[in-house]
Amino acid sequence: MKNYLELIPVSAKIHRRQTRMTRWCIVISVFLISVIFGMADMFLQSQKNLAIMIDGAWHVAFRELDAEQMAFLSARPEVKTVTRYAAANYKLNMDYEVGGVQTVLCGFDETFFEIYPAAGLLEGSFPKGTEEALVSEGMRNRLGLGIGDEVEMTTPGGSLSFRISGFVEDTSMMLKTDAFGLFVNTDTYLSCFREATLREDFVCYVEFLPHCRIQKAIRDICGQLHIPEDKVSENARLMGTLMQSSDHYILMLYLIAFLLAVLVAVSGMMMILGSMNSNVAQRTEFFGMMRCLGATGKQVRRYVRMEAAFWCLKAIPPGLFASVLTVWGLCRMLKVITPTWFGEMPGFGVSMPGVFFGAVIGFLTVFFASRTPTRKAAEVSPLTAVSGNADTVFAAKRAANTGRMHVETALGLHHAAGSRKNLILLTSSFAFSIILFLGFGIGVDFMKHAIKTLRPYTPDVAMISHDNACSIPDSLYAELKGMEQKGNVGIRRVYGRSFAYDLPVHMQGESKTAMLVSYEAYQFGWAESSLTQGDMESAENGEGILLVEKQGFVSEPGSEIELETDRGIQRVRVSGVLRDAPFDGGEDVGTIICSEDLFRELTGETGYTILDIQLRDRSDETVEKLRSMAGDAYSFSDSRASNRETRAVYFSFALFVYGFLAVVALIAVFHIINSVGMSVSARMRQYGAMRAIGISIRQLQSMIAAETFAYLAGGMAEGLLVGLPLHYYLYRQAVTQRWGDAWSLPVAECLIIAAVMTAAAAAAMLGPVHRIRRMSVVETIGM
Amino acid sequence: MEIMEVQDLCKTYGKGEAKVEALKYVSFTLQKGEFAAVVGESGSGKSTLLNCIGALDEPDGGKILVDGQDLLAMGEEERTIFRRRNIGFIFQSFHLIPELNVEQNIIFPLLLDYKKPDLRQVDGILEVLGLQERRGHLPGQLSGGQQQRVAIGRALITRPKLILADEPTGNLDRKNSREVIELLTKASRQYQQTILMITHNPNLITSVDRVMQVADGVLSDLGGNANEKLS
Ligand SMILES: Nc1ncnc2c1ncn2[C@@H]1O[C@H](COP(=O)(O)OP(=O)(O)O)[C@@H](O)[C@H]1O
Ligand SMILES: [Mg+2]
């Protein structure tokens, strides 16, 4: 040994157990911090991908620009792409038709495809000439078209003819509404449909270069081109994920995210501090010894610095590495499960923020924490430092109260509460688990409000009568039902509804309008969860009806309603009240639901307005088969693409939100196991001495249990005291302000985290108890 | 009356090259009320012997009878309780419980048995130890000599069959050392307390009944030393 600094690895070897624990602690803390930040980063990236797929890659859109302004815009250095876009008949109410099918009409520049990657050009090329057009995949398939063919479009102003230059993928909107699409270039659009299109419909989409300060760029552009504020709109979804939004609500969400990030960082620091503090005693002794042997204060400080560097080197890289692997795993999951949406996600990208925060927080905390024992060693005299009386981490200043309880319980509680510093440190580390969990729990509340999910009743495809009449014959329903029962053609469920619109009703002495809808067994089953009063069964039997509650339509089960149908005035009894229904007839129109038999009895109609189908096999062949069964008599709505979209959005959100919660719960578990383990470790010598005096293992277990319980109880109380107000505040900002839902006690979250903590506390005692069982008294007390 | 009997006690540490035979067929007996000292060079096996007798360590072979009971035949819990009630320990580095005050430390073995301490007995012991003024103090507030006196009180409180002391004066200065030995001698006389004490300070063995020497794991009896009982 040439230099005293070479003692570092030697000392690490001698205190192997302690060293291993501390190292694991740092590894895991760094891992958890880095995973959380890495996940947050990947979450933003996935949401950005999703935003680009759904809403496009544009950042800002300007309406009503003239040619000069356009030219100026394209010339700006920070602008990457500019494209003009206009659409007509996107609400399918303007009588533009090809082959008798409602057709959406769009005009755009060639750059449009860069901004809308979801609008894929299947084959052919962009329509350069005024007589050329792209048409949708659906139109190609159903009309049997090829490139070079002519299509004839009927418009309110006469018919127009285009030569097909290529085909574009169907959008989920076109699939769902069973519409065609026809796309021409901007000039053609302007010359053919000028009168049909409002000037406001013309939008200029702008995509900026990466790393551009978008809000500033928008301000500059608006200022220079004199564009009024109401002509500017942002791609809120994309801007939100780029952290560049100007929306107040989204800024609030950033603030919440920042708050949570700070909480995570603090909890990571606490974990590392806790683990390093626990071997302060041993290390104080060691530094005391070094001072005794003649090391100067400066030498000890240098030693400490080197030692911290040694910890960092040994523990931080493995933690970071593990977190990178975990984040990769999550990304793979996204990519494999929903390849259409997240194919763009980096496969083996390293999240810079994750690695950065993990490394920096780990490094700083280790460095900071490693100084404490030096200070302590300097404070205590070298003699006490080496005499073995610096045993306890925080020496008690009062004697334990052994009068009322068993001595082991009293001592256990005293170990926890004897030193206020120790108690505060440990209970607050327990409390942090609750605070973090409640904080991140807001993500779930936010998700429930902001992210649409598929309902049990969401169909994959549907057949819908053209004129809202009950014109789909009973026989088609029977045929499909037969296929469902035989398990044929990949059908999972078929369920139909008949609608009777604008029925005059008389209830509670007032005349109103309502629509009558028929349900069958599946739909009655799904409605069960929104039943607030009365019973479902008598409605299902046809004895009564269900009323959907809304303003002006409030009633009690048992009251009567008069309905006027083609068959005259009929009286029905309300047998149940529903909170809501999947459809709504509009303002001042009530919704009345009844069984199919009752519907027939009341209206005389036997057909259906809608047949919804859920598929077991969602392939194109299945859908084509069903489409051909429907023929042209009904429109065929294909919701698979939009369902996929909904599912992808929800999945990507849920993966991360629950991922965060899982990591937070892990932090709690680790925190608790670590704190208890460290606390026991620090007193191992004392436990050894007690064993020599004659304490039994069982009594030692109770002592540790009492100590753990004190931390748990104190931590929970403290955690709820701080966590609930925090939850209330975050909920108000993230949910109440936007959706108006009032805050309620997050009982489920509290119970879950309490259960996790209790289980962790129980598990935390296993290790130490095992160690005590195996402990050699002689070696432990060093005789 | 024979209070303890050790027969053919063997203990080996390590394997192969590093093998150390710490105890080699050690046998001896102690009579009730006897104050015996074990002397020997450092590393000769004294502590090992004491730890085996106190059931803190498991010997590889041999037999230990305390008050006629076979220590090694007991189960873990039973042995712990036996130790708590019948064997008192005094360590070189005191090993008091820092969260308990002087009085609590002394009655700790009774508290572990969920027994109510006899106040008169506690007062008596505190008086003998000269610690009445300090009964409410924590170990951290006491000098080394005072701490060791508390440890002696703790060993005496249960009136154990046997007190084992491993270099009880090792961490103390000369004056405190003499006081500690005086206390032990007094206990041995006053309460007919059997004591086995390790020491390597030859000045301290003048007051004991009997001296044994351990050398390289082998025990030999040096017989009575200034046996006051006979004079
Ligand atoms: N846990 C152990 N592992 C290996 N060797 C040990 C252990 N404890 C003691 N020894 C060895 O046994 C011998 C006797 O030790 P000990 O009884 O402590 O001696 P002392 O007479 O100084 O109290 C010594 O050589 C020591 O090195
Ligand atoms: Mg020894």
Side-chain angles (χ1 to χ4, degrees), chain A residues 416-457:
Chain A
S419 145
R420 190 171 301 163
K421 199 167 154 194
N422 178 58
L423 185 69
I424 289 172
L425 211 78
L426 273 125
T427 49
S428 48
S429 89
F430 274 55
F432 235 84
S433 309
I434 298 183
I435 297 169
L436 267 182
F437 198 82
L438 286 178
F440 275 92
I442 287 294
V444 177
D445 294 312
F446 175 76
M447 183 171 75
K448 279 186 187 149
H449 284 89
I451 309 293
K452 213 169 64 184
T453 51
L454 293 185
R455 303 292 176 174
Y457 49 78

Side-chain angles (χ1 to χ4, degrees), chain A residues 783, chain B residues 42-43 45-48 92 166-167 198:
Chain A
M783 281 188 295
Chain B
S42 186
K46 306 181 300 287
S47 292
T48 309
Q92 179 175 350
D166 191 345
E167 304 198 28
I198 293 177

